[in-house]
Amino acid sequence: MFQEVSTRANFPEMEKDVRRFWKEKDIFARSVKQREGRPFFVFYEGPPTANGLPGIHHVLARAMKDLFPRYKTMRGFHSERKGGWDTHGLPVEIEVEKTLKLNGKQDIERYGIEAFNKLCRQSVFEYIDEWAQMTEQMGFWVDLEHAYRTYDSSYMESVWWILKQLWDKQLLYQGFKVVPYCPHDATPLSSHELALGYQDNIEDPSVYVKFELEDEPKTYFLAWTTTPWTLPGNVALAVGLDIPYVRVRQGDERYILAKARLSILQGDYEVEAEIDARSLLGKRYKPLYRYLIPDKPAFFVVDADFVSVEDGTGIVHTAAAYGVDDLELCLKKGIPVRHVVDLQGRFKSEVEPFAGMFVKKADPKIIEDLQQRGLMYRAETIRHTYPFCWRCGTPLLYYAVTSWFIKTTAVKEQLLRNNNAVNWVPSYIKSGRMGNWLETLVDWSLSRWRYWGTPLPVWVCEQCDERRCVGSVAELGLTLKDDLHRPYIDRVTLPEVRRRHAEGRRPDRRLVRFRRDAGRAVSLPL
């Protein structure tokens, strides 16, 4: 009455039979079609990059992507499950760089942006057959026949439209900020990219440096840093107004530091005086290095609310161009910002002892130099967590650049409310990793100084700094058949218009053109 069931089951063959049945009967497409008219459960795949082979971690992710649309479909929802391919960004560029044996942006520009981007386009589907095979073998139901591709002009235009909405709401802006920066790829990174590259137990210098007061020979401020390479860029020292300080004597030298940090001193010492922080404000000291000296006042003591006595000396070495707090403080106090390091992470030629050296390799040279000049109090090492580029593995620098940002901080409270409404699994993510990240939210640095990506749709007037953001190809007189990538988009100018004259001035009747803010691309998971 019943068909005999063999005890010798061949599970791989059974899987093949099921897949064959699904394919012959078009089960996936029919399961979607029979629910047309029902409430939508929208699923757009967070797309993988097909220029690399799939791995076991992709199987896990795709299993989760498959689970929820299947469940919602069984509950009667209409879920089309549109697949996608991430065809832009550093992963693609880096693979092409390796193939061409190029090393960094300068090599790419010598090779030619047009030729380089053509190879990027060709490479993005190198392993698409392997991806399709893996997708079918694991039974992941997703529409790859009508998948979106991020290099298509239609997709790129949709990114432009989103950016234009943000622009109109004054949520897209250009700013000068210290951001995580990869000197190899020569581009800023966003805060969530930064989180992908932290490595633990990294050994770095831990040094206590002597800054001699200008009018008190052999009296020094002591400051601590784990980044000696920033010392040639020092412009100020910061103290905390509510922190008690002392002047101590060791031999024929005197040191000023926080009373709570006396434990960092080596050997016997004599406390000569307790000092109110306010009496230190404005005191001038001799710069450690006299290269690229600013043309405005620098090298004096200021107050800052971020100074603490949890570590260090209670006096913070401030290099405006290489720290988030440093830059904000210096802009607030009117202290000039200067770069002694170039965009490749190497010291500029003017910084003669270390010219051309990568900053991390220059650390021991700087320590040795300061020791020889009697300006190093202590030099040790520390093991701590340090960020590296999640793509190329280069140590990241905090570096002041002009970049484009989305003002995510303007909607921080809304983001926090939405996070609290999410049913997180496991539940501790809500107030843990995600909640902590949102509580310390910073504006999203979205521009990348690269080549193979969606160009930022901002055009700048040739005669002034007026800027315009476009949200469609039609505004440029283009169509979706046009290639919107660099270098072609860099050649597109907005139609000539008559410049509007400022109030109180005679009309300026010259025609002006707008050129794109070249060299900027965006990397958006939209």
Side-chain angles (χ1 to χ4, degrees):
M1 185 174 180
F2 296 101
Q3 184 176 352
E4 183 179 354
V5 177
S6 173
T7 58
R8 297 181 178 181
N10 187 327
F11 291 108
E13 286 301 318
M14 291 173 64
E15 286 186 10
K16 290 178 183 178
D17 289 340
V18 172
R19 293 202 305 270
R20 192 179 302 113
F21 172 76
W22 284 351
K23 191 170 185 177
E24 290 175 355
K25 303 298 184 180
D26 203 16
I27 299 298
F28 169 45
R30 288 168 62 185
S31 73
V32 174
K33 186 174 179 58
Q34 70 180 203
R35 285 164 179 79
E36 288 180 353
R38 303 285 296 172
F40 273 105
F41 178 75
V42 179
F43 175 82
Y44 277 78
E45 184 185 15
T49 304
N51 73 324
L53 286 167
I56 191 64
H57 58 291
H58 292 112
V59 175
L60 176 62
R62 289 168 101 72
M64 298 302 293
K65 292 176 184 179
D66 190 51
L67 177 63
F68 289 94
R70 281 182 182 268
Y71 170 73
K72 286 294 186 178
T73 298
M74 289 189 288
R75 293 295 303 271
F77 286 85
H78 183 204
S79 182
E80 293 181 331
R81 284 170 262 184
K82 192 176 184 69
W85 299 108
D86 184 1
T87 57
H88 274 160
L90 270 176
V92 180
E93 290 192 28
I94 289 173
E95 289 304 312
V96 174
E97 279 188 71
K98 290 178 181 176
T99 301
L100 296 174
K101 294 181 171 57
L102 304 179
N103 184 27
K105 290 183 65 176
Q106 290 182 329
D107 282 359
I108 293 173
E109 293 185 2
R110 280 192 289 266
Y111 183 81
I113 297 174
E114 183 174 14
F116 181 78
N117 276 355
K118 282 182 178 178
L119 290 177
C120 287
R121 181 186 288 271
Q122 293 169 11
S123 75
V124 292
F125 291 124
E126 183 173 356
Y127 298 106
I128 193 169
D129 290 340
E130 287 82 354
W131 277 92
Q133 182 182 17
M134 183 267 282
T135 301
E136 181 183 355
Q137 284 183 338
M138 64 173 290
F140 177 26
W141 279 4
V142 64
D143 183 4
L144 293 179
E145 185 178 348
H146 304 99
Y148 69 90
R149 302 174 300 185
T150 59
Y151 72 29
D152 287 337
S153 292
S154 57
Y155 178 88
M156 294 168 70
E157 185 186 43
S158 72
V159 175
W160 283 6
W161 180 86
I162 292 169
L163 292 173
K164 181 62 162 59
Q165 305 309 303
L166 294 169
W167 176 276
D168 290 343
K169 295 176 181 177
Q170 298 184 329
L171 296 175
L172 177 65
Y173 69 96
Q174 189 177 47
F176 183 67
K177 296 187 180 185
V178 170
V179 295
Y181 179 83
C182 176
H184 176 269
D185 298 329
T187 189
L189 279 74
S190 66
S191 59
H192 59 269
E193 287 177 301
L194 174 70
L196 297 174
Y198 277 110
Q199 295 183 23
D200 295 327
N201 205 31
I202 299 299
E203 185 174 273
D204 265 330
S206 171
V207 298
Y208 294 83
V209 185
K210 298 154 63 173
F211 294 81
E212 187 174 18
L213 274 70
E214 200 171 74
D215 57 355
E216 298 182 46
K218 292 198 173 183
T219 299
Y220 303 89
F221 293 111
L222 288 184
W224 173 70
T225 183
T226 60
T227 53
W229 67 266
T230 63
L231 290 169
N234 172 271
V235 289
L237 295 173
V239 298
L241 291 181
D242 58 347
I243 297 175
Y245 290 86
V246 293
R247 185 180 69 240
V248 304
R249 183 185 185 95
Q250 279 192 322
D252 63 348
E253 294 185 342
R254 293 175 172 85
Y255 306 116
I256 297 172
L257 71 162
K259 185 177 181 180
R261 299 302 300 165
L262 285 169
S263 60
I264 67 100
L265 296 176
Q266 294 178 315
D268 296 332
Y269 59 86
E270 176 190 352
V271 176
E272 290 190 331
E274 295 197 5
I275 302 173
D276 185 278
R278 288 168 180 79
S279 68
L280 299 176
L281 300 183
K283 280 192 174 294
R284 301 189 61 81
Y285 61 89
K286 297 177 182 179
L288 298 178
Y289 294 96
R290 294 188 174 275
Y291 307 106
L292 297 169
I293 291 291
D295 55 4
K296 294 181 180 180
F299 311 115
F300 56 91
V301 177
V302 297
D303 63 290
D305 57 11
F306 56 76
V307 181
S308 78
V309 291
E310 292 182 5
D311 48 29
T313 68
I315 300 176
V316 176
H317 140 65
T318 302
Y322 310 116
V324 176
D325 291 334
D326 305 48
L327 180 61
E328 290 180 2
L329 175 65
C330 289
L331 292 176
K332 178 181 177 182
K333 301 291 186 180
I335 300 171
V337 180
R338 61 168 178 158
H339 268 303
V340 295
V341 175
D342 65 20
L343 290 170
Q344 283 73 49
R346 300 180 298 221
F347 278 102
K348 293 183 175 182
S349 59
E350 293 89 342
V351 189
E352 295 173 1
F354 320 113
M357 293 184 67
F358 182 63
V359 293
K360 299 295 283 185
K361 291 184 177 180
D363 276 347
K365 297 288 186 182
I366 294 170
I367 294 171
E368 181 183 2
D369 176 68
L370 293 175
Q371 286 173 330
Q372 291 175 353
R373 293 162 54 203
L375 297 175
M376 181 64 65
Y377 184 79
R378 283 173 58 184
E380 303 164 342
T381 58
I382 189 174
R383 289 194 173 274
H384 62 168
T385 301
Y386 192 88
F388 291 77
C389 179
W390 68 295
R391 286 301 182 189
C392 69
T394 302
L396 296 180
L397 311 179
Y398 281 91
Y399 194 95
V401 297
T402 299
S403 188
W404 286 87
F405 298 86
I406 293 177
K407 196 181 293 184
T408 47
T409 51
V411 292
K412 177 179 175 179
E413 294 305 316
Q414 183 180 349
L415 291 170
L416 287 168
R417 287 195 300 272
N418 289 343
N419 178 58
N420 288 332
V422 173
N423 179 27
W424 282 99
V425 178
S427 60
Y428 60 79
I429 296 293
K430 177 183 294 187
S431 58
R433 181 177 179 181
M434 180 58 70
N436 291 336
W437 179 65
L438 290 175
E439 286 289 353
T440 58
L441 187 69
V442 296
D443 287 346
W444 180 4
S445 173
L446 81 155
S447 57
R448 302 290 175 267
W449 301 353
R450 299 296 300 190
Y451 311 100
W452 182 240
T454 299
L456 191 72
V458 176
W459 271 253
V460 182
C461 175
E462 290 182 333
Q463 303 295 329
C464 66
D465 198 39
E466 183 181 350
R467 297 169 185 191
R468 296 185 180 182
C469 181
V470 304
S472 68
V473 295
E475 294 174 59
L476 302 175
L478 302 176
T479 71
L480 293 179
K481 294 181 180 180
D482 292 301
D483 191 339
L484 303 182
H485 293 93
R486 300 186 66 196
Y488 314 114
I489 196 66
D490 293 337
R491 302 166 187 162
V492 176
T493 58
L494 287 181
E496 294 181 332
V497 297
R498 294 197 182 278
R499 179 194 278 178
R500 293 167 294 186
H501 62 282
E503 185 177 353
R505 295 183 181 179
R506 295 178 60 189
D508 185 343
R509 300 188 180 280
R510 286 178 296 172
L511 292 174
V512 297
R513 290 188 299 175
F514 288 74
R515 292 193 179 276
R516 199 181 77 79
D517 183 24
R520 302 290 188 267
V522 295
S523 178
L524 296 176
L526 299 173

